[in-house]
Amino acid sequence: MKNRRIFLQKAGLSALALNLTPLNPLWALNEENIMNVAEDKPLRVAIMGLGSYGTRVANAMKDCKRAKLVGVISGTPSKIEAWQKEYGIPAKNCYNYETYHQIKDNPDIDAVYVITPNGLHKEHAIGVANAGKHVICEKPMAVNAKEGKEMVDACHAARVKLLVGYRMHFEAKTQEVIKMRMNGDFGKVLFFQGLSGFVIGDPTQWRLNYELSGGGAMMDIGIYSINGARYMIGEEPIWVTAQETKNDPVKFKEGVDETIQFQFGFPGGAVASCLSTYSMNNLDKFFLNGTKGFAEMQPSTGYGPIEGRTNKGPLTNPHVTHQTTQMDEMAAIILDGKKPLVPVDGEEGLRDLVIIDAIYKAVKTGEKVGLV
């Protein structure tokens, strides 16, 4: 789209230079009109995985300006039928997990949002990429860094974009704090605290099944503190230490973590202290401290509204449904080549997976694990 826009702009300027009169007034496009043409084109999205979060994304997309829900992929026929009625999805854009590779022959779908269990992300994302469609994958991008790297490589080979569902990267109050840090309003950043947790319910759900989840709380809620430490401090950690607490080994079986405390060190000297848990409520808080000021957000990563304050006063940015903003911004990234304030690409997702691997290693060994 960007190249096409540049071509049209150059073509229009050349015509003006030669004082040529267009044969058809439709060709009389100035730069503003060309931009409007680009921005009018929606990103046509199919959602893979029609569970509770897939439903949340679909409902949020009703208010999108650049992204449009046009297809579904599910293993449950009744869900497909219900979504067809609710969202006006044509039968030709409906697939199951055996047939979704056929989207390769469907020009009406641009991208697929993979919202299946973590353990299926790699298979589904690579399948979508091989079908020639852009991939949006819910976080964590995979169950470990090895699988994440395979996903990044597959999408690169297929020449499609791989984006990860980091909705907080687009949230207004979060962006305000990041911009303040970038502008030096907090001075030298010294400390970050991230608390992420809730009491998980149904013990039979896939999130407590190691084969499908790849872990426990860390692979669900803990990633918010990992990712948050990185974008709030603005650096990549160079070491990690971690300790696990498990009070209910029946509910939280081998490989499924209940509670992990973890600490990071950063090259600029800042440290982070974080908690990830499936056994405590009221834990959704970020705190950033620097030599000149601070930022405190609570709730910091829930569906909103986010609340927060800094040394300069309360954060007052209006609340917009996170997934609505996320999908519109991702449409701009894919269609227009827009560069986000904080990356949401596969490399960003891979960095979190490398850190998660290191946290689990630190838990097992009891040692400080270096990150490169």
Side-chain angles (χ1 to χ4, degrees):
M1 178 59 68
K2 185 176 180 181
N3 291 336
R4 177 175 177 272
R5 186 187 306 143
I6 294 172
F7 171 78
L8 288 172
Q9 289 171 342
K10 289 181 177 178
L13 290 172
S14 298
L16 289 173
L18 294 171
N19 196 27
L20 296 176
T21 302
L23 296 176
N24 188 326
L26 290 177
W27 286 102
L29 296 176
N30 58 31
E31 181 175 349
E32 181 179 357
N33 288 336
I34 292 169
M35 293 295 288
N36 289 337
V37 170
E39 293 180 356
D40 284 343
K41 178 183 177 182
L43 179 72
R44 299 165 299 177
V45 180
I47 290 180
M48 174 185 280
L50 310 185
S52 61
Y53 192 71
T55 301
R56 183 179 291 274
V57 172
N59 288 333
M61 288 181 69
K62 291 179 179 179
D63 295 324
C64 282
K65 297 178 180 178
R66 294 297 309 278
K68 181 179 180 181
L69 176 62
V70 300
V72 294
I73 302 169
S74 175
T76 308
S78 60
K79 287 185 178 180
I80 293 177
E81 183 179 355
W83 278 52
Q84 281 187 267
K85 294 178 181 178
E86 175 67 22
Y87 304 105
I89 297 170
K92 67 182 181 65
N93 290 352
C94 297
Y95 302 87
N96 58 42
Y97 296 120
E98 286 70 47
T99 64
Y100 79 91
H101 303 87
Q102 295 172 12
I103 60 172
K104 181 177 183 179
D105 302 316
N106 190 335
D108 295 332
I109 296 175
D110 301 315
V112 175
Y113 196 160
V114 177
I115 314 181
T116 52
N118 305 337
L120 303 176
H121 285 179
K122 186 188 83 166
E123 173 191 344
H124 290 156
I126 291 178
V128 170
N130 289 340
K133 306 299 181 180
H134 299 295
V135 180
I136 303 171
C137 185
E138 193 44 43
K139 61 191 178 304
M141 189 174 75
V143 296
N144 55 51
K146 178 179 180 296
E147 288 197 0
K149 181 64 163 56
E150 291 175 17
M151 292 167 63
V152 170
D153 291 345
C155 289
H156 179 75
R159 297 185 179 181
V160 299
K161 289 189 181 295
L162 170 59
L163 304 182
V164 186
Y166 289 114
R167 58 186 169 82
M168 300 312 301
H169 291 198
F170 306 108
E171 194 276 323
K173 291 185 176 72
T174 301
Q175 288 201 342
E176 182 67 20
V177 172
I178 293 171
K179 290 175 182 176
M180 289 180 67
R181 186 260 300 158
M182 294 172 71
N183 290 336
D185 292 349
F186 305 129
K188 178 179 174 61
V189 175
L190 303 173
F191 176 72
F192 171 81
Q193 180 188 47
L195 305 177
S196 302
F198 63 91
V199 176
I200 196 166
D202 181 10
T204 66
Q205 63 181 283
W206 69 262
R207 289 178 178 82
L208 298 178
N209 180 331
Y210 178 76
E211 296 300 320
L212 292 175
S213 65
M218 184 62 63
M219 300 300 291
D220 178 17
I221 192 71
I223 192 171
Y224 284 100
S225 283
I226 294 171
N227 195 252
R230 295 174 52 231
Y231 64 66
M232 294 285 274
I233 291 176
E235 295 181 357
E236 297 299 327
I238 55 177
W239 58 258
V240 58
T241 54
Q243 308 81 37
E244 180 178 12
T245 301
K246 184 173 292 191
N247 294 317
D248 189 348
V250 176
K251 187 173 184 178
F252 302 99
K253 297 178 175 58
E254 181 67 25
V256 179
D257 49 284
E258 178 182 353
T259 300
I260 294 180
Q261 299 176 75
F262 56 98
Q263 303 79 38
F264 295 147
F266 292 84
V271 292
S273 177
C274 303
L275 176 70
S276 165
T277 185
Y278 264 162
S279 61
M280 287 179 270
N281 286 324
N282 308 309
L283 291 177
D284 184 9
K285 180 179 179 178
F286 283 176
F287 178 74
L288 184 72
N289 197 30
T291 56
K292 294 182 180 179
F294 71 91
E296 184 177 43
M297 308 177 76
Q298 187 177 15
S300 58
T301 62
Y303 294 138
I306 301 302
E307 300 292 343
R309 65 189 181 99
T310 73
N311 53 289
K312 294 187 175 183
L315 297 168
T316 59
N317 314 70
H319 171 69
V320 178
T321 300
H322 298 173
Q323 294 80 5
T324 302
T325 303
Q326 171 195 324
M327 296 308 295
D328 272 341
E329 289 294 317
M330 286 185 165
I333 292 169
I334 291 174
L335 297 177
D336 308 337
K338 182 177 180 178
K339 184 177 181 180
L341 180 66
V342 183
V344 292
D345 55 23
E347 286 75 12
E348 174 77 1
L350 182 57
R351 291 187 187 99
D352 279 342
L353 293 173
V354 169
I355 295 170
I356 289 175
D357 286 353
I359 289 173
Y360 283 137
K361 181 178 180 181
V363 165
K364 290 181 179 179
T365 65
E367 298 176 355
K368 179 186 288 187
V369 176
L371 295 163
V372 291

